[in-house]
Amino acid sequence: MGGTTFISRDIVAARILAGEHLIIYNDHLLRIPASWLDAHPGGTLALLHFVGRDATDEIEAYHQDDTLSLISRYSIGRVELKESGWVPLLPPIMSGWVRKPVLGGKSEWFNEANVLRSSVNTELTPSSQILLVAKDELAQPGPGLDTLEPPPTNLSLAVQSQHSRAYKELHQRIVSAGLYKTPYLSGYGPEVLRYTFLGCMSAYTYSHNWLMTSAVFLGLMWHQLVFSAHDLGHMGVTHNWTIDRMLAIIIADFIGGLSIGWWVENHNVHHLVTNHPSHDPDIEHLPFFAISTSFFSSLWSSYYKRTMYFDRFAAIFVAMQHKLFYVVMAFARFNLYVNSYSFLLRKTWDTKRARGGRWAWGLEIAGIAFFWYWFGNILYGCGTWRKALAYLLVSHAVTSPLHVQIVLSHFSMSTADLGPTESFPHRQMRTTTDVICPSSLAFIHGGLHLQVTHHLFPRLPRHNLKRASALVKEFAKEQGLVYAEFGFLHGNAEVIGVLRGVADQVKLIGKVVDVEMKEAIERKSTNSGRKFD
């Protein structure tokens, strides 16, 4: 890597406040130009969440060697390190600050949200926690040095640095074991046969007017195909971005009607800030779900760029969320359509080389149009609108176990923010759990029941996760980390328990409000009576 100048932490902070996007990688200071910030295939937020931090583990987990070799062009020098490593700064986006373009091609700081700090230091709300809420109407000055200083944390930087060093060694063991090599024949061979069988059975039963049976087979095919789209979105199949993305578009857009571009951007953020209430889109489901009482504060989402209002409507749903969980999951695919199409609409006027270039966006648009052409004809061929509606609902509801499986790995885990001191492996193992299942049933989960290992090594071919998980468990034991796992039924019980716990808090708040209102009315009546006397 180029650059021999040693740059102090104070200078890094000052340059960030001046508008530069600086990230530490292997003791080098990378300056990310605005042009690449917009064009980064992993999304802008994937970079903004690591400004002022050491992102070595995350960068190496998400990029191949040929990409890593190009990073040297962004190095502007080396940073001064303490014995325990780089002392992290708080990324401005974590405290509600972003850069926005203004006239003349320049950019200025913009305050999109206010900070909500924890007033106590508990396991659920640690002193290190920073959440975001809607900003007030008062104009905010730009961020200062105090903005970049993280709140106090219970974590030891030395211990977290040790976890990081051990993770690098683990990663090398994974590479040396050949686990990044894709098992095309033994892995994807049986899956292609399974997809083909389910698709043919759906067509065959449809041709015989067994509509609901056809809908079930179609839903099962979608359910299974998603796993391959997931692998391709992570560049975990051919490991060539262009080839993997083209295959992903064929599966996700042309066959499934969903945008792989949206999913990749959303999923990358989820992987990097897992279970953070203000930043992880995969746990931001108000008004339907709240897996933490933190959402009662009407948090700001840095991903969706809006306030997640905990209003009366949300309170009603959240109070019943444990009862409505499986009902909502049955229709979760419709929400994926909304997110996909709104993403593609936003990208209509994006002329930058962002998230795969214009050809990928155009191919996705063609894919969505093709999907609704063939699926629309299937619905039309059902004969009546009632049969078409039934076909639509059944085919989509059949995919719901996939959505249940996804939330099992995170909804029951910690949503506390331990700050930028926390290492990549520590955060992933604290916020993620595996779902235990027999090897004979692993295909139902697509192998993604091994979420802990997947979160640590997102590019790892899915069929190699089981072998890699054995190494991860050894790593966890050596480092004193918890490798969480539970059975499918136990996992469901855990998630329902979390949802019920938050729902009970909503009901408790409602009772307190009712009592306070009753007391206020009584006081008012008493005072009125005295005035009358």
Side-chain angles (χ1 to χ4, degrees):
M1 275 191 165
T4 57
T5 305
F6 281 88
I7 304 172
S8 70
R9 184 174 183 271
D10 290 341
I11 292 178
V12 172
R15 294 181 68 160
I16 290 174
L17 292 176
E20 295 185 67
H21 298 98
L22 306 177
I23 296 174
I24 286 78
Y25 172 67
N26 278 336
D27 302 348
H28 284 257
L29 187 64
L30 307 181
R31 187 177 68 84
I32 312 300
S35 58
W36 182 242
L37 192 72
D38 293 332
H40 183 233
T44 302
L45 289 174
L47 296 172
L48 293 183
H49 281 300
F50 291 91
V51 170
R53 298 175 59 184
D54 187 333
T56 303
D57 292 342
E58 288 83 355
I59 290 173
E60 294 187 346
Y62 280 86
H63 299 86
Q64 300 183 100
D65 290 342
D66 56 347
T67 302
L68 296 177
S69 66
L70 302 176
I71 293 179
S72 60
R73 67 179 65 178
Y74 299 116
S75 176
I76 58 174
R78 305 190 68 157
V79 294
E80 292 180 351
L81 298 179
K82 303 290 185 180
E83 288 186 9
S84 55
W86 174 256
V87 180
L89 295 165
L90 184 72
I93 194 170
M94 291 287 190
S95 54
W97 289 97
V98 295
R99 302 283 295 182
K100 286 199 171 183
V102 293
L103 293 177
K106 297 182 178 180
S107 63
E108 293 181 353
W109 284 111
F110 175 76
N111 180 227
E112 62 181 10
N114 282 354
V115 165
L116 178 65
R117 295 179 184 268
S118 176
S119 58
V120 296
N121 186 22
T122 67
E123 184 178 353
L124 295 178
T125 57
S127 58
S128 56
Q129 180 157 281
I130 291 183
L131 301 177
L132 299 179
V133 294
K135 67 176 182 179
D136 51 38
E137 296 301 321
L138 297 176
Q140 299 288 331
L145 288 173
D146 59 330
T147 309
L148 301 183
E149 287 298 332
T153 177
N154 295 330
L155 296 178
S156 163
L157 180 59
V159 172
Q160 296 302 307
S161 296
Q162 169 56 32
H163 291 332
S164 180
R165 287 191 295 270
Y167 170 76
K168 291 179 176 63
E169 295 174 1
L170 172 63
H171 199 171
Q172 187 54 52
R173 293 178 64 189
I174 296 286
V175 173
S176 298
L179 297 181
Y180 274 99
K181 296 179 181 178
T182 303
Y184 291 108
L185 188 60
S186 62
Y188 287 101
E191 292 195 3
V192 171
L193 293 177
R194 191 180 304 126
Y195 307 152
T196 303
F197 169 76
L198 293 172
C200 289
M201 287 301 297
S202 179
Y204 175 79
T205 52
Y206 185 87
S207 67
H208 285 71
N209 206 35
W210 303 335
L211 297 182
M212 294 307 99
T213 304
S214 172
V216 169
F217 277 116
L218 180 59
L220 290 174
M221 184 186 73
W222 282 337
H223 172 277
Q224 289 291 304
L225 275 173
V226 163
F227 299 128
S228 289
H230 168 276
D231 301 346
L232 292 160
H234 275 296
M235 281 192 0
V237 182
T238 71
H239 308 294
N240 177 288
W241 190 93
T242 302
I243 297 175
D244 276 8
R245 181 53 60 92
M246 290 184 67
L247 292 174
I249 291 175
I250 292 173
I251 292 175
D253 297 73
F254 282 78
I255 302 178
L258 304 174
S259 166
I260 193 64
W262 160 75
W263 180 86
V264 167
E265 183 179 77
N266 176 286
H267 199 64
N268 281 340
V269 176
H270 159 68
H271 266 267
L272 294 169
V273 287
T274 312
N275 269 22
H276 194 300
S278 284
H279 304 294
D280 181 1
D282 275 14
I283 66 168
E284 297 176 341
H285 298 301
L286 280 180
F288 300 107
F289 294 133
I291 64 171
S292 166
T293 55
S294 297
F295 288 101
F296 295 176
S297 300
S298 293
L299 301 179
W300 168 267
S301 169
S302 64
Y303 178 84
Y304 290 111
K305 302 300 180 185
R306 62 176 174 81
T307 301
M308 300 174 287
Y309 289 105
F310 188 76
D311 51 21
R312 184 179 296 274
F313 183 73
I316 293 173
F317 270 91
V318 172
M320 301 185 294
Q321 62 181 358
H322 54 298
K323 299 177 181 178
L324 298 175
F325 176 65
Y326 295 108
V327 176
V328 175
M329 288 294 101
F331 300 102
R333 191 175 182 89
F334 292 102
N335 184 55
L336 302 186
Y337 291 140
V338 173
N339 286 322
S340 292
Y341 304 157
S342 60
F343 170 84
L344 292 174
L345 182 62
R346 290 197 309 273
K347 297 303 171 188
T348 301
W349 297 276
D350 186 353
T351 59
K352 299 182 178 65
R353 189 168 49 91
R355 292 92 178 156
R358 300 299 294 171
W359 71 263
W361 177 86
L363 190 59
E364 286 206 72
I365 293 297
I368 298 300
F370 178 79
F371 168 80
W372 284 110
Y373 171 77
W374 73 260
F375 187 58
N377 274 287
I378 286 178
L379 296 178
Y380 182 78
C382 289
T384 67
W385 71 266
R386 289 185 177 85
K387 291 181 180 179
L389 179 61
Y391 193 100
L392 175 71
L393 296 179
V394 170
S395 61
H396 285 57
V398 168
T399 67
S400 62
L402 171 64
H403 306 295
V404 173
Q405 172 197 330
I406 292 171
V407 303
L408 288 188
S409 293
H410 300 291
F411 270 26
S412 62
M413 302 302 287
S414 172
T415 59
D417 171 23
L418 301 188
T421 299
E422 185 174 28
S423 66
F424 174 66
H426 189 279
R427 180 175 191 91
Q428 298 309 322
M429 300 194 75
R430 179 176 62 86
T431 58
T432 311
T433 182
D434 280 358
V435 177
I436 303 171
C437 79
S439 298
S440 59
L441 299 178
F443 75 94
I444 296 177
H445 300 281
L448 290 178
H449 56 292
L450 300 170
Q451 279 287 301
V452 174
T453 303
H454 170 60
H455 265 251
L456 289 172
F457 304 102
R459 291 185 296 109
L460 203 64
R462 174 166 45 91
H463 306 91
N464 295 336
L465 289 176
K466 184 176 181 179
R467 290 173 58 194
S469 68
L471 299 177
V472 173
K473 289 181 178 179
E474 292 179 12
F475 160 81
K477 186 176 181 180
E478 293 169 357
Q479 296 300 310
L481 298 172
V482 176
Y483 189 112
E485 56 183 351
F486 43 49
F488 186 77
L489 295 180
H490 183 197
N492 275 265
E494 288 286 327
V495 170
I496 295 299
V498 168
L499 296 176
R500 182 185 289 110
V502 176
D504 288 342
Q505 291 298 311
V506 175
K507 295 173 185 177
L508 180 60
I509 292 173
K511 290 179 181 179
V512 171
V513 171
D514 289 342
V515 170
E516 291 178 345
M517 289 182 62
K518 184 177 180 180
E519 291 177 349
I521 292 173
E522 290 176 350
R523 285 196 298 270
K524 185 175 181 181
S525 299
T526 301
N527 292 336
S528 298
R530 288 174 180 172
K531 290 179 181 179
F532 181 78
D533 290 341

